Amino acid sequence: MSWPTSPKTAVTRKASIVLALGAALLLSACSGDSPAEAESSDGSGSTATVTITDNHGEVEVPVNPKTVVALDNTVFETLSEWDIKLAAAPKGVMGSAWPGYTDDTKVADVGNHREPNLETIVAAQPDLIIGGYRFGDYYDEIKKQNPQAAVIEIAPRPDKDAFTELERQTEILGQIFDREDEAKALNDKLDSAIAGAKAAYNGTDSVMTVNTSAGKIGYIAPEVGRSLGPVFPALGWKPALEVDGATDNHQGDDITVEAIADSNPDWIVALDRDAAFAAADREAGSAPATELITKSEALKNVPAVREGHIVVLDPNFYLEEGIQSYTDLFNQLEKAFAA
C-alpha cells in the first residue's frame, strides 16, 4: 500500500445544549471550535458532543464519554497517557504493554481479533467504541449490536500518509477527550522526531527493513510494508532492495538471507514480531532478531552486519504502532544513524 501525503482531516464540532426552565424547554445547537457543555437531564454528566470525521464519514461523538470501549491498538498508548478508563478492550492483542488495562479486572476482555467476544462490548453498554485496525472486519456488526454508541474508526488509512494519519487520529482523540493541547504536543513531538531522524541520515546509505518471526527473516518493502514501509519516504531512505508486488500484510514477504546479502545493505532495521509475546506464546523456533541477523553465515560480510549498523525496534512496537511508538522509533533512528 502506498501512503502519499494528504492534508489533515478537518475536525468539526457541534454541541447541543438542553436547558430546563420550569415547564419551558429550549433546544439549541451550535458549531465552532469548542463544544458547548451542559448537564444532562438526570444530572449524570455532560451532554456536549463533537462531530468528527472518521474513516467512514462524520460521526457525532460525546465529549468525555462515560463508558468507552477501545479495540484499536494504535490508540491505547494515548488513552493510557490521558488516564482514560476503558470498559472493555481486546486483552488478547495487548500483550504486556498496557498493564493498567490488561491487569484491571474491571476492564472486560473482548479477546483477540480472530475470535472476538463481541457480546462483551454489548454488555458494557458503551457510549463510545473506538474500533478498526485489527477489528476493522467487525465494524458493521459492532454498529448493529450497539445502536446506542458512537462507533468510530480512526486508525491510519492505508492509502494515506501514515504519519499525517497518526496526527489526525491524535487530533480526533484530543477533541473527544478534551485534550487538544496534549494532542498537539504529541503531534509536535512526532514532527520533531521525524525531522531529527531525517537530518541524521546521510542520504546515500542503503537500508533493508525486515521482520523476524519463528526464526525466519521476512522482507518489509519500502513504502507499502507493514510498520517500517512508510519510514522510507518519510526519511528519504535509499532502499537496498525493491520488489514489485510486495505485500503490506503483517508477515512481510518471504526472502532468503542470500537475497538480503545480494542487496548488500548498509543498514538493516528489524521488527521482531515475536519479542512482544511471552516466551511460551512465541512462534516455534523463534529467536531474537539480532541473533538471526548477526549469526547468519550469508549475512556476515554485508556492510550492515560488518559495521554493526543494525537497528531492532522496541519489543512492543508490533503491538503498539501508535504515535508514541513512532516518535520513539524516529528518535532511536536519529541516535543510531548519527553515531
Side-chain angles (χ1 to χ4, degrees):
M1 57 186 173
S2 61
W3 300 36
T5 301
S6 68
K8 295 175 184 175
T9 302
V11 179
T12 61
R13 291 188 156 195
K14 180 171 65 179
S16 300
I17 303 175
V18 180
L19 298 174
L21 297 174
L25 180 66
L26 172 65
L27 298 176
S28 66
C30 62
S31 297
D33 292 332
S34 300
E37 295 185 5
E39 293 297 314
S40 60
S41 58
D42 62 2
S44 60
S46 170
T47 58
T49 62
V50 59
T51 299
I52 61 99
T53 302
D54 81 342
N55 297 358
H56 300 275
E58 288 190 348
V59 184
E60 189 167 346
V61 180
V63 174
N64 283 323
K66 292 180 64 178
T67 307
V68 180
V69 170
L71 306 172
D72 176 355
N73 282 51
T74 66
V75 304
F76 288 136
E77 189 64 30
T78 298
L79 298 182
S80 178
E81 276 192 20
W82 295 351
D83 197 27
I84 305 300
K85 297 186 182 304
L86 297 180
K91 295 183 179 180
V93 290
M94 297 172 74
S96 58
W98 301 282
Y101 294 135
T102 53
D103 293 350
D104 186 346
T105 57
K106 294 180 181 178
V107 181
D109 185 7
V110 181
N112 67 44
H113 55 295
R114 293 187 177 85
E115 295 180 293
N117 182 357
L118 300 183
E119 290 300 321
T120 301
I121 302 173
V122 177
Q125 287 290 294
D127 304 301
L128 172 66
I129 301 171
I130 305 174
Y133 204 51
R134 290 182 173 92
F135 284 81
D137 290 343
Y138 304 101
Y139 175 74
D140 290 335
E141 191 171 354
I142 290 172
K143 278 183 65 74
K144 182 178 179 181
Q145 292 179 342
N146 300 272
Q148 84 291 346
V151 182
I152 63 172
E153 293 193 338
I154 53 176
R157 294 166 290 189
D159 59 338
K160 308 291 185 183
D161 175 78
F163 308 114
T164 302
E165 287 288 291
L166 282 175
E167 294 185 355
R168 176 191 72 115
Q169 178 190 72
T170 306
E171 287 176 359
I172 291 173
L173 291 175
Q175 297 269 342
I176 294 172
F177 295 104
D178 199 17
R179 303 289 187 109
E180 292 172 82
D181 289 344
E182 290 91 336
K184 183 178 184 306
L186 287 173
N187 289 348
D188 288 346
K189 285 181 180 178
L190 176 62
D191 289 338
S192 177
I194 292 173
K198 191 171 185 177
Y201 175 57
N202 64 13
T204 57
D205 282 358
S206 61
V207 182
M208 164 69 74
T209 51
V210 300
N211 63 17
T212 63
S213 182
K216 298 180 180 178
I217 300 175
Y219 168 71
I220 297 178
E223 297 194 24
V224 300
R226 173 76 176 267
S227 299
L228 286 169
V231 174
F232 279 85
L235 300 186
W237 278 351
K238 175 185 174 184
L241 177 66
E242 294 184 87
V243 178
D244 291 336
T247 181
D248 59 357
N249 72 19
H250 66 285
Q251 294 178 317
D253 291 286
D254 290 337
I255 191 171
T256 65
V257 288
E258 288 77 14
I260 296 175
D262 287 344
S263 72
N264 207 36
D266 294 304
W267 289 84
I268 295 176
V269 182
L271 168 68
D272 188 338
R273 288 182 55 222
D274 294 335
F277 300 96
D281 298 328
R282 292 172 186 166
E283 297 277 356
S286 69
T290 302
E291 179 179 319
L292 287 173
I293 295 167
T294 60
K295 291 190 175 182
S296 169
E297 183 67 20
L299 296 176
K300 67 179 184 181
N301 290 321
V302 303
V305 175
R306 201 171 58 238
E307 302 296 330
H309 289 171
I310 300 170
V311 179
V312 180
L313 276 56
D314 181 273
N316 281 326
F317 190 93
Y318 179 68
L319 296 179
E320 297 172 344
E321 296 183 275
I323 191 166
Q324 294 89 350
S325 301
Y326 275 103
T327 299
D328 291 343
L329 170 61
F330 285 119
N331 287 331
Q332 180 185 11
L333 292 172
E334 177 185 2
K335 184 176 180 180
F337 280 72

